[in-house]
Amino acid sequence: MKTRRTLKGHGNKVLCMDWCKDKRRIVSSSQDGKVIVWDSFTTNKEHAVTMPCTWVMACAYAPSGCAIACGGLDNKCSVYPLTFDKNENMAAKKKSVAMHTNYLSACSFTNSDMQILTASGDGTCALWDVESGQLLQSFHGHGADVLCLDLAPSETGNTFVSGGCDKKAMVWDMRSGQCIQSFETHDSDINSVRYYPSGDAFASGSDDATCRLYDLRADREVAIYSKESIIFGASSVDFSLSGRLLFAGYNDYTINVWDVLKGSRVSILFGHENRVSALRVSPDGTAFCSGSWDHTLRIWA
Amino acid sequence: MSGKTANTTNNIAQARRTVQQLRIEASIERIKVSKASADLMLYCEEHAKKDPLLMGIPASENPFKDKKTCIIL
């Protein structure tokens, strides 16, 4: 496995990225306020938007591929429809959807383009209707900033997991707003949570330099992925298609690949020149993309 | 004085909510880890063949791997 493409163009730290369902396009956001849509096969930039705020910490691609959502220090989540018409100014069509009282740390479209789930530094998550901007449900329970969230993979799924600075990972029911399960075994902030492909478990990456696997049906932690030599926090985790491999990006500039079932490290990938801040496997599992504070994104296959 | 009682009332209300939440969480149905991990392993095995990053796919099918060497015209 090695770097196949390097996407250069951001002027500052890349903070977040997401794949489009067409397995080809990528949206990424950075500290300088720019959000760029790339074609990962050709490394061309297709769209670029400048946000009015810096530190765009969250970005997401709509399931239809026709819009992107992003937000950060502006406390809002904005949706931009993507247009190929050169005469149209993308920023003009921007729609402000979510309003929090603190920074936006993560956002994700639900199964449709119509609803967005957001997580914020104000300690809450919220579900919004994109068209009207109305708050549909809010989720209270975290004792500190919520840093990440992930939706359950099933088509009919209506749960999601969130991780925060209170070291807890909580699983929520989207319809009732109720917290169904919570897990508190990490020793530090949870930076990233990702569901296992079957939806029965999820992994978390934390500043305590470990990644852990929690099983939802057994309601407990079932594996820890750590090594004495790894002392820097894990910023971002994702599973391969079958769930056998867990890719984790760390603050020591490396990416560790873990065997989920054996609990051992399979490989370590070098390449980035600063901490890895975002990591996502492509929808068809052929590659994964990592974004870093070294201003670049790398596609590994 | 009233400030202190208001504070304790808040604390009690918060503690009540916490206890209620913990009761809800404690009452969910759990399965044994041996069964849960067996299911995870089964899922991995079933899908392992379709996992390109695990199995590796031929370079001709991988859009990211370069297929041809450069031809100098």
Side-chain angles (χ1 to χ4, degrees):
Chain A
M1 222 180 289
K2 57 183 187 138
T3 305
R4 302 286 170 182
R5 302 276 189 282
T6 306
L7 305 177
K8 296 189 197 178
H10 274 293
N12 214 320
K13 311 179 172 73
V14 177
L15 300 174
C16 184
M17 52 95 21
D18 192 15
W19 287 88
C20 178
K21 284 220 161 60
D22 70 359
K23 310 156 211 166
R24 179 170 175 158
R25 290 186 176 75
I26 290 178
V27 63
S28 62
S29 65
S30 87
Q31 188 200 333
D32 61 1
K34 287 234 178 11
V35 179
I36 301 181
V37 177
W38 313 79
D39 177 338
S40 60
F41 292 0
T42 62
T43 75
N44 288 336
K45 299 180 196 43
E46 295 195 344
H47 298 89
V49 183
T50 305
M51 292 278 287
C53 67
T54 56
W55 287 90
V56 188
M57 291 178 254
C59 62
Y61 227 117
S64 67
C66 298
I68 53 170
C70 48
L73 285 187
D74 56 351
N75 300 359
K76 296 193 282 207
C77 184
S78 313
V79 176
Y80 292 85
L82 294 173
T83 166
F84 278 98
D85 186 350
K86 285 203 172 45
N87 294 329
E88 287 222 42
N89 183 4
M90 259 180 76
K93 292 261 177 166
K94 155 179 162 174
K95 195 183 298 196
S96 245
V97 173
M99 273 297 292
H100 278 281
T101 53
N102 210 329
Y103 65 89
L104 192 84
S105 53
C107 66
S108 173
F109 283 87
T110 59
N111 287 329
S112 77
D113 277 19
M114 291 290 98
Q115 292 183 348
I116 283 194
L117 199 52
T118 58
S120 164
D122 62 11
T124 68
C125 300
L127 182 65
W128 309 82
D129 177 272
V130 174
E131 201 51 51
S132 62
Q134 197 184 10
L135 174 68
L136 298 170
Q137 186 64 260
S138 72
F139 307 90
H140 296 259
H142 274 286
D145 304 15
V146 185
L147 294 180
C148 50
L149 59 81
D150 190 33
L151 275 139
S154 92
E155 285 299 315
T156 53
N158 45 26
T159 61
F160 73 94
V161 60
S162 65
C165 290
D166 55 359
K167 313 176 199 166
K168 283 205 269 194
M170 303 177 86
V171 182
W172 307 85
D173 178 327
M174 288 205 298
R175 286 175 304 192
S176 66
Q178 177 86 22
C179 168
I180 341 179
Q181 287 169 281
S182 76
F183 304 87
E184 192 170 354
T185 61
H186 270 293
D187 298 318
S188 186
D189 304 356
I190 298 182
N191 294 316
S192 175
V193 286
R194 190 71 63 206
Y195 266 97
Y196 189 79
S198 69
D200 290 329
F202 70 91
S204 60
S206 157
D207 274 345
D208 64 5
T210 68
C211 296
R212 292 170 201 241
L213 185 69
Y214 298 89
D215 189 294
L216 293 170
R217 292 178 308 159
D219 191 35
R220 50 170 292 175
E221 174 189 295
V222 292
I224 303 185
Y225 307 99
S226 67
K227 252 176 135 57
E228 270 189 33
S229 53
I230 302 178
I231 53 172
F232 283 83
S235 62
S236 191
V237 298
D238 203 357
F239 284 100
S240 69
L241 208 64
S242 66
R244 183 64 194 264
L245 299 175
L246 179 70
F247 299 96
Y250 288 77
N251 293 341
D252 61 1
Y253 316 175
T254 66
I255 296 171
N256 286 302
V257 186
W258 300 90
D259 181 320
V260 172
L261 301 179
K262 292 191 189 150
S264 56
R265 183 169 65 184
V266 167
S267 133
I268 178 168
L269 302 172
F270 300 94
H272 277 295
E273 290 155 20
N274 206 322
R275 62 164 80 174
V276 180
S277 52
L279 194 155
R280 293 290 275 270
V281 173
S282 76
D284 60 354
T286 50
F288 70 91
C289 178
S290 58
S292 159
W293 281 18
D294 66 3
H295 309 354
T296 68
L297 292 113
R298 279 170 189 255
I299 315 261
W300 308 76
Chain B
M1 270 300 278
S2 59
K4 193 173 175 202
T5 39
N7 214 1
T8 34
T9 328
N10 271 347
N11 284 345
I12 293 176
Q14 199 161 345
R16 278 219 176 92
R17 275 197 298 267
T18 317
V19 169
Q20 196 178 12
Q21 175 67 24
L22 287 172
R23 280 216 177 102
I24 294 173
E25 288 182 20
S27 63
I28 62 174
E29 278 193 30
R30 289 179 196 80
I31 63 173
K32 283 199 186 304
V33 174
S34 46
K35 168 97 177 49
S37 34
D39 283 346
L40 289 177
M41 291 195 294
L42 194 62
Y43 186 91
C44 272
E45 257 151 69
E46 277 174 11
H47 291 83
K49 289 193 189 56
K50 290 184 259 167
D51 189 346
L53 287 169
L54 188 65
M55 292 282 135
I57 51 178
S60 50
E61 283 178 22
N62 190 337
F64 294 106
K65 290 204 173 114
D66 300 311
K67 302 180 214 349
K68 304 191 265 269
T69 48
C70 291
I71 302 170
I72 305 184
L73 296 164

